[in-house]
Amino acid sequence: MVEKQAHIITDPPPYLIYNTDKAFVDSGTTLLRLPINVFKAVVDAITLNSKIDSFSPGFWDGTKLACWKKSENLWKLFPKLSIYLRATNISQSFRITILPLLYLQPVTDVDDMVCFRFCVTSSANSLVIGATVMEGFYVVFDRAQKRLGFALSSCAVSDGEALSEIAGPFSVADVAADCTVRVPKEPVLWMISYALVAVCALILISLLLLLLLLPCRHRDRGEITDESSLVRHRIK
């Protein structure tokens, strides 16, 4: 079971990019969507760890396909993609992993060539675990307890090889602590609040003193005598 904190690595070797944004598991989303900075790091890591000489930039943003000969063992050219998730026991985390067969989707098949699209894309501010990852697992949505469960799917197999993995639990000291958004303790928040109030009070007092020290300016209305219109009006 997991909470809504995660970070992404590619394996091998470990490439740690921590995600502090919200995380969602959504069967209605097709792709694996990563926060922009995480997406860029994952693309760099895959490029570094794959055995492909070069990639078209359009392959990563989904505008172009990448094609290889059917005779090539494509899946040995790409690394695994892993996501670490916090467990309900906040001192532990675990890792779910998908193989390239899940994040590379075959689109066209022409003669002796097969073309794939990259099933990972960027997101504005959150991690969305979509069908690309969920196909490798049985996912249980426990709404009553507000938790999610992952188990290996018996259907996620190709030529006798599992396309997904689950590992853990891992110590919070090793992984999960680095995924936590650190919120200032309550006394610190109170001190910040008092400081802001003091600053506002000083500004207000300064403005009041400035108004009191400024000379009063008014027009000379002249002396009111019996000839003034006001007096004449009252006498009448």
Side-chain angles (χ1 to χ4, degrees):
M1 300 298 175
V2 303
E3 293 182 343
K4 295 181 179 180
Q5 295 289 342
H7 72 268
I8 308 295
I9 70 166
T10 56
D11 181 35
Y15 190 91
L16 300 180
I17 294 294
Y18 298 108
N19 166 51
T20 56
D21 295 308
K22 292 182 179 180
F24 303 91
V25 180
D26 180 20
S27 58
T29 299
T30 302
L31 307 180
L32 170 61
R33 299 178 59 85
L34 306 175
I36 295 175
N37 62 323
V38 180
F39 175 75
K40 291 179 179 177
V42 168
V43 168
D44 291 342
I46 292 177
T47 303
L48 177 65
N49 291 290
S50 71
K51 299 177 181 179
I52 307 297
D53 292 334
S54 62
F55 290 92
S56 166
F59 175 65
W60 303 117
D61 61 24
T63 59
K64 292 184 179 180
L65 303 177
C67 303
W68 290 273
K69 292 183 179 181
K70 294 179 181 179
S71 58
E72 292 185 84
N73 190 352
L74 175 65
W75 314 123
K76 300 297 182 181
L77 304 179
F78 285 85
K80 300 175 182 178
L81 184 62
S82 298
I83 304 175
Y84 280 79
L85 299 167
R86 289 288 298 272
T88 50
N89 180 345
I90 61 173
S91 66
Q92 297 178 337
S93 66
F94 67 95
R95 180 180 69 216
I96 58 175
T97 299
I98 58 172
L99 273 63
L101 272 77
L102 290 180
Y103 69 80
L104 294 175
Q105 179 184 29
V107 177
T108 60
D109 187 342
V110 181
D111 298 329
D112 64 337
M113 303 289 290
V114 58
C115 299
F116 297 83
R117 76 162 175 163
F118 188 49
C119 293
V120 183
T121 187
S122 61
S123 171
N125 56 10
S126 61
L127 164 67
V128 183
I129 299 176
T132 293
V133 177
M134 295 178 68
E135 287 178 355
F137 305 92
Y138 294 118
V139 183
V140 178
F141 292 81
D142 186 352
R143 295 180 62 87
Q145 299 297 323
K146 298 182 180 180
R147 58 184 182 176
L148 298 173
F150 287 84
L152 292 177
S153 171
S154 58
C155 298
V157 179
S158 178
D159 296 329
E161 181 181 8
L163 304 182
S164 56
E165 303 170 358
I166 296 180
F170 302 101
S171 170
V172 66
D174 295 332
V175 179
D178 295 321
C179 299
T180 304
V181 181
R182 291 174 175 79
V183 179
K185 295 182 179 180
E186 188 173 349
V188 177
L189 295 177
W190 278 110
M191 291 175 62
I192 294 173
S193 300
Y194 289 142
L196 291 175
V197 171
V199 171
C200 293
L202 288 174
I203 294 174
L204 182 60
I205 292 172
S206 300
L207 291 175
L208 290 174
L209 289 174
L210 184 62
L211 291 174
L212 291 174
L213 293 175
L214 287 176
C216 295
R217 296 181 179 180
H218 56 83
R219 292 186 304 171
D220 184 8
R221 299 180 181 275
E223 182 181 359
I224 299 178
T225 65
D226 290 345
E227 299 300 322
S228 67
S229 60
L230 177 61
V231 174
R232 288 200 306 270
H233 177 72
R234 292 184 61 185
I235 294 174
K236 291 180 180 180

